[in-house]
Amino acid sequence: MATPDFIRDLRVSAGHQLLFLPGVSAVVFDDTGRVLLGRRADTGDWSIIGGIPEPGEQPADCAAREVWEETGVRCVPDRVVLVQCLEKPVTYPNGDVCQFMDVTLRCTATGEAAREARVNDDESLEVAWFDVDDLPPLREFAVFRIQQAAAEGPAWFEPATLQP
């Protein structure tokens, strides 16, 4: 993923040490119920679309921006699907370590270009629409987010482990 400038600035003084960062994921559906996925340039894996919000950027704006930047698809965020701290830090090939607090939003593709997903930047190798019953191999976190976004109901979060 492209690293935002504010994180590059932080890395000058922080080096490769762990940074705890916000992340936003978008589960985008079209009008036929297909889900939009991108095959990531950094890992080669298919996944939902996501990124890091800029300072002061609202999660919904980040989701719509990331979807547009990566796929050329316009979307409208509909609801919060889940909020979750990812269990393990991610170590990138350059040695940078990050752990993310992810806010996942269900989104609906809009406009004439909704079905014309395309690779729109250097973060993806491919982008495509998939039937929910015919997904490519995905990591468990992406499958879980798609399942939660497809279901109706309140936002999901890890139950609290501390009891009064």
Side-chain angles (χ1 to χ4, degrees), residues 30 32-35 129-136:
D30 70 4
T32 66
R34 297 179 303 169
V35 66
W129 293 101
F130 291 90
D131 289 324
V132 175
D133 295 331
D134 191 25
L135 297 172

Side-chain angles (χ1 to χ4, degrees), residues 25-27 29 48 81-86 100-106 139-151 156:
S25 298
V27 180
F29 292 100
I48 56 178
V81 171
L82 66 78
V83 177
Q84 183 182 41
C85 180
L86 301 186
F100 294 95
M101 175 66 71
D102 180 60
V103 175
T104 299
L105 300 170
R106 177 191 166 106
R139 293 184 185 205
E140 182 56 36
F141 85 92
V143 172
F144 184 69
R145 281 157 173 70
I146 293 168
Q147 290 169 341
Q148 293 297 311
W156 180 92

Side-chain angles (χ1 to χ4, degrees), residues 1 24-28 35-40 45-51 67 70 102 104-105 138 141-146:
M1 301 186 92
V24 174
S25 298
V27 180
V28 183
V35 66
L36 180 62
L37 301 175
R39 194 161 70 84
R40 295 171 55 105
D45 295 336
W46 285 98
S47 192
I48 56 178
I49 309 303
V67 170
E70 295 181 26
D102 180 60
T104 299
L105 300 170
L138 295 169
F141 85 92
V143 172
F144 184 69
R145 281 157 173 70
I146 293 168

